[in-house]
Amino acid sequence: MADTVQLTDRARALFDQVKAGRGAMTMVLGSGCCDGGSPFLFENYPPPANHRHVGEVEGIPVWVDNGLWQDVDLDLTIDAIADPASDSFSAESELGYRLVLV
Amino acid sequence: MATAVSESVRTYQLYIDGEWRDATGGDTFPSINPSNEEVIANVPKGTREDAQAAIGAARRSFERGEWAGKSLRQRSEIMLKAWKYLTEVAIERDWAGIESADAGVTLRLANLAHVPTALEHFRSLAVQGGEIKEYEPLPWVDMPAVAWNFVNREPQGVCGQIIPWNFPFMMACWKLAPALVTGNSVILKPASNTSLTALELVKALDETGLFPKGVINIVTGPGASVGEEIAANPDVDKVAFTGSTEVGRRIMQLASGTVKKVTLELGGKSANILLPDADLDLAIDGSLLAAFWHQGQICESGTRLLVHESMHDEVVERLIARAKEIVVGPADDLESGMGPLVSEAQLATVKRYVEIGKQEGARLVLGGKQPEGFDKGYYFEPTIFDGVTNDMRIAQEEIFGPVLSVITYTNTGEAIKIANDSIYGLAGGIWSQDIPEAISVAKAIRTGTMWINDYHLLNDVSPFGGYKQSGVGKELGMQGLLEYTISKHIHVAASTKRSDRFIWDTLLP
């Protein structure tokens, strides 16, 4: 698979804050319902079955659901947006940011 | 983008252990009206500590047993009293108007579905709860020993409930009503961008004075703190979550630490199938309803339309003509059939998927853009892609917006195969005048709800919940209610004689 994962500078700056004081982080691409394609940063999250590894950003492995993207080459650029109302389960929401796919 | 916390709008509070208070640290965030991007309220930004306090209050209330210790019939009657109050207050306080402003639900829809139907479901679930047999004798058996056997049905205990932003008030009713009538204590976490009607509901329930403190708690705030605390905290016995699939997986993982009971209602990419004998006078409108109701922001939407090749041209032509008649406008305008999408984020997601659809080679035949004439608000036109194949991303991934993918099939077997070729199995539709055939097709598709010659209609007595990665467990109906109970087998030995206990002789000489 020719997947690529990149971060914008804004996202890269956010990641240091998110990683601070936390255990091993994993990123997964959201799917279904209200989070179509949003990246999620979870702490201590073993990659679920039937997910494939598509790259690494700032030392954090990125996994996607092979059930959805088995034959798709994903070209992901991840940005961070200030969003004080972010509801997300993703770790950066506590800091008032939301990760998005560009 | 409106970010300022406005002083002139109402600020809500958390409700924990019978008291209303601010979040720890006093942080709030604005709730935005998606029709005009204005701030309509400030909502407390709950923290992990707030979630822990709520869970502790729920736990203590459950152990004190003032609510759990009542009979199902008693709780059912109390909840009917509460429901009566809710129906009065709902109108006085214009809950439909609040829902419309908070979540971009058209008033037409809020006035029919989001509020009144939700209240009717609350009532019905309270009534059905009273019919559960909390003590049930089992058939007499005499092996391995003569005994009376009973089942005692009890509440799960402390239930954490996390709900999404598409039907905020209804989701709150679907979670609170079954959990409360069966004697549980609850912590509700509504979606941050649409917390208002859940807060209003809890306020009204508090005002009834009918629920002991700690039985109902509401904590608004981010999933990463409040939500994860609910999913992981050892004092929570059951987690019920409606939302996205990856988050559902995360919640299952966190819940596994203390083997919590988990019910999940996740994503879907339901196939809506027009069989060759479909009555198009029904099926065209029905298929548009399936895809565009509430701007397509419904997990069981029929977002893949499977059309037999013999009907393809007529169907697509009629869909386009009829879809053009849908009025997109502000949620509070009674002319609007479709309101805005719930947020800027959701609008960005829908736009991204439209681009993906174009890149994949699907034919955009309607919409695919924001409508003219609005300088504020997250509006998007009803959008139809034709020539979609089931391996395309717009056929596999849930967009959660007004985007319909039309797929052509040649025979029923192929339609069934296409319908099943999805990680999801939430719902689906079949349009046909041959009911036995339609039922046969319905049975062949691995999905939790099938509508025949209709779509979207859920009711208070029918269980709702997906197959495959659309979820775990059911909501609504007796089956959904029973998921909030847990049962104990009680075996009472019928004999006082040692000589009757011959099984013991296998150990003891």
Side-chain angles (χ1 to χ4, degrees), chain A:
Chain A
M1 302 253 63
D3 303 307
T4 60
V5 191
Q6 280 153 34
L7 289 177
T8 61
D9 293 333
R10 273 200 301 209
R12 181 163 293 112
L14 180 64
F15 272 44
D16 289 333
Q17 282 183 68
V18 174
K19 279 155 68 175
R22 282 196 164 92
M25 303 296 291
T26 307
M27 180 180 282
V28 283
L29 207 58
S31 58
C33 185
C34 21
D35 288 321
S38 310
F40 283 92
L41 273 174
F42 292 140
E43 187 181 357
N44 297 327
Y45 187 57
N50 203 31
H51 275 47
R52 76 166 185 276
H53 183 243
V54 298
E56 271 203 10
V57 287
E58 298 296 295
I60 296 174
V62 182
W63 296 80
V64 300
D65 184 342
N66 228 25
L68 288 173
W69 296 302
Q70 189 166 62
D71 299 310
V72 177
D73 287 341
L74 290 172
D75 181 12
L76 308 173
T77 303
I78 296 163
D79 195 7
I81 298 183
D83 184 358
S86 178
D87 192 28
S88 179
F89 272 70
S90 184
E92 82 284 355
S93 73
E94 284 188 279
L95 299 171
Y97 282 87
R98 182 164 43 88
L99 291 176
V100 292
L101 286 185
V102 168

Side-chain angles (χ1 to χ4, degrees), chain B residues 282-296:
Chain B
L282 284 180
I284 296 296
D285 276 11
S287 301
L288 293 174
L289 183 86
F292 299 136
W293 212 37
H294 193 33
Q295 296 77 271

Side-chain angles (χ1 to χ4, degrees), chain B residues 232 335 359 427 506:
Chain B
E335 292 294 308
Q359 279 162 30
T506 57

Side-chain angles (χ1 to χ4, degrees), chain B residues 309-326:
Chain B
E309 57 188 356
S310 64
M311 310 169 91
H312 168 269
D313 293 352
E314 185 188 357
V315 165
V316 173
E317 195 184 302
R318 287 177 71 167
L319 282 173
I320 292 170
R322 189 67 170 129
K324 285 184 175 156
E325 294 176 358
I326 295 173

Side-chain angles (χ1 to χ4, degrees), chain B residues 70-85:
Chain B
K70 294 190 196 306
S71 71
L72 278 154
R73 183 85 66 80
Q74 287 173 320
R75 287 191 298 261
S76 172
E77 283 168 8
I78 291 171
M79 288 188 55
L80 282 170
K81 281 205 196 94
W83 166 77
K84 213 99 234 329
Y85 182 69

